[in-house]
Amino acid sequence: MSIPETSDGPGSVRSDTRLRRIRRMPLWSRRLWLRRVVWWGGAVAIGLAAILFADAADGVAAMRKAIIRHDPRWMLLVAPLGFALSSFLTRSLFRGAQGSGIPQAIAALHMTDTRQMDRVLSLRIAAGKVLLTVLGIFSGGSIGREGPTVQVGASIMLALGRLVRVPDQASRRALILAGGAAGISAAFNTPLGGIVFAVEELSHSFEARTSGTMLTAVILSGITSLALVGNYSYFGHTTVALPLGRAWEAVLICGMLGGLGGGLFSEILVRAADGLPGAAGRFLVRRPVLFAAGCGLALALIGLVSHGATYGTGYEQAQQLVNGTSDLGASFFALKFIASVLSYLSGVPGGIFAPSLSVGAGIGGAISAWLPHSPAGAVVLLGMVGYFSGVVQAPLTATVIVTEMTDNQGLTVPLLATAFLAYAVSRTVCRRPLYGALATRFLRTQTSSAASGAEPASSGPASSEPLASTSAPSATRSSGMPPV
């Protein structure tokens, strides 16, 4: 006699159907658990990569300092040769490793071609980005490692997505977003900063579908950093506050100066993306390696004038300014500003986060003497967040990162006010957010290359520069474009 389909007893049709449904649930899915484990491992790998990257950058910075102690004039040889070598390697072994890495990650989030996305965020380019950034720091470039760490994190997560065969574009974008956020979190040891950066700058939204993956990646990469290097803040712990009253005039001044300076820096970089004018532009097109060497020589001369203060990321100088132990002159922020522009124009891979924080700290330090009613340490932090917000035009990210890097929540409201004022002023100077403008150019060039059948910039010759104007009549014109 057959068993009725309505029976709930052992072996019944209903029981078997219910069991199959349970097994298909996400909690019991082997494939989903495999993906989770792989992604968790990816978050840990991003934390490890960020720590190794930081150690390598600190190591070569120490080597550069040893050279300067022996004879500062050696940098007149080291900087041009290092920049020339970086430019050559970028155009030969690591084609597509140019730029900071953040515009590439933003552009990848908007790509619909899976192969194109994989080329832009390949592990080969990520490795080249790390090596060339370290070389640039050793050579005295005013660059940081945070932007490259974003691209490295996104590349690691996307590579793992390919490993477990993530099928849809939405999931791939979630991995890129998670990897970029984890990269910022691990690079700065600022978990909240990583999350806010991903929401405000990378994706401009906070979707439920991606938030879980991103938060998990940030937490695990942060745990990895805590386990290996401990609980620390880059600029130590500050307790400085800004009382209401005349002291708040520093908010107004730092917000306006930071916004003007940051907006000018961004506008220079965006305009330079279309090519340098006159003889300099023509020389860059014909002799990019020699142009990079010339930028390195100029940086070495600036370094001699500043007694080495303008070389590298600028963390040390910013920390001294924050702690009130700096003997840097009032000209430091101007020299660091010029050094950062030259480093970008040279084409040496590297980020602008760290140099921007250093320039902002220099602005605050320079004007603190003219604001007797405002604590000097607070003015330095306000200058830092003002200029940084002016450059990236992401006021929440700027505020959270500076707050976490100094472990000072008591200054949050003045920092927010300064950051949003600087953002408003910056928009009057540079109408387009820096990373968004560079990412748009990158996307347009990639699309144009794909339509014409040319090899994309991220995997082809460096002459197909990502920031070349889409209206460029030939690849020759775009070969000298500064990178994103």
Side-chain angles (χ1 to χ4, degrees), residues 109-417:
L109 285 169
H110 295 84
M111 289 178 177
T112 56
D113 187 339
T114 300
R115 292 173 299 177
Q116 190 180 48
M117 187 184 293
D118 291 340
R119 282 193 297 264
V120 171
L121 297 179
S122 71
L123 291 178
R124 177 186 64 81
I125 291 179
K129 182 83 73 176
V130 171
L131 292 174
L132 295 175
T133 300
V134 169
L135 174 60
I137 292 174
F138 171 75
S139 305
S142 181
I143 56 177
R145 52 180 171 76
E146 295 74 28
T149 305
V150 169
Q151 186 172 0
V152 169
S155 299
I156 290 174
M157 292 299 279
L158 188 59
L160 293 175
R162 292 194 297 269
L163 180 65
V164 297
R165 299 179 181 179
V166 171
D168 58 296
Q169 289 283 32
S171 296
R172 293 168 67 87
R173 293 189 183 102
L175 291 177
I176 294 172
L177 190 63
I184 282 290
S185 171
F188 279 126
N189 192 33
T190 54
L192 288 178
I195 295 169
V196 174
F197 173 77
V199 173
E200 186 177 32
E201 188 61 48
L202 292 181
S203 69
H204 301 284
S205 66
F206 192 74
E207 301 177 9
R209 185 166 184 173
T210 63
S211 60
T213 304
M214 181 181 69
L215 292 173
T216 302
V218 168
I219 291 170
L220 290 177
S221 65
I223 291 174
T224 303
S225 177
L226 287 174
L228 295 179
V229 298
N231 187 12
Y232 70 98
S233 56
Y234 263 103
F235 298 141
H237 176 75
T238 65
T239 57
V240 64
L242 195 71
L244 285 173
R246 289 197 61 184
W248 269 64
E249 64 188 12
V251 171
L252 179 63
I253 295 174
C254 289
M256 294 185 65
L257 291 181
L260 286 172
L264 177 62
F265 179 79
S266 295
E267 185 68 11
I268 291 173
L269 266 58
V270 171
R271 287 182 177 271
D274 292 324
L276 299 179
R282 292 191 295 272
F283 183 71
L284 173 57
V285 171
R286 293 194 300 266
R287 298 286 186 270
V289 175
L290 288 179
F291 182 86
C295 291
L297 179 60
L299 279 169
L301 293 173
I302 294 174
L304 289 177
V305 173
S306 66
H307 304 289
T310 55
Y311 293 135
T313 62
Y315 278 135
E316 182 178 346
Q317 290 74 27
Q319 187 174 33
Q320 291 172 358
L321 287 164
V322 169
N323 296 331
T325 59
S326 171
D327 57 356
L328 299 171
S331 63
F332 166 72
F333 77 89
L335 294 175
K336 187 67 174 175
F337 179 97
I338 298 171
S340 299
V341 172
L342 286 172
S343 298
Y344 169 82
L345 295 179
S346 71
V348 171
I352 62 174
F353 266 45
S356 296
L357 291 170
S358 180
V359 172
I363 292 175
I367 66 175
S368 62
W370 302 91
L371 299 172
H373 300 284
S374 306
V379 178
V380 170
L381 294 181
L382 294 177
M384 186 185 295
V385 79
Y387 182 80
F388 186 39
S389 178
V391 170
V392 300
Q393 294 188 2
L396 288 177
T397 298
T399 301
V400 172
I401 284 180
V402 171
T403 299
E404 287 192 285
M405 291 181 76
T406 57
D407 193 23
N408 185 345
Q409 287 75 40
L411 207 62
T412 301
V413 174
L415 288 175
L416 274 171

Side-chain angles (χ1 to χ4, degrees), residues 399-447:
T399 301
V400 172
I401 284 180
V402 171
T403 299
E404 287 192 285
M405 291 181 76
T406 57
D407 193 23
N408 185 345
Q409 287 75 40
L411 207 62
T412 301
V413 174
L415 288 175
L416 274 171
T418 304
F420 276 95
L421 175 59
Y423 166 74
V425 173
S426 176
R427 289 299 297 268
T428 66
V429 179
C430 182
R431 299 296 300 172
R432 299 155 292 179
L434 175 61
Y435 290 134
L438 299 184
T440 299
R441 280 179 167 82
F442 184 87
L443 270 175
R444 288 176 179 171
T445 305
Q446 293 286 309
T447 303

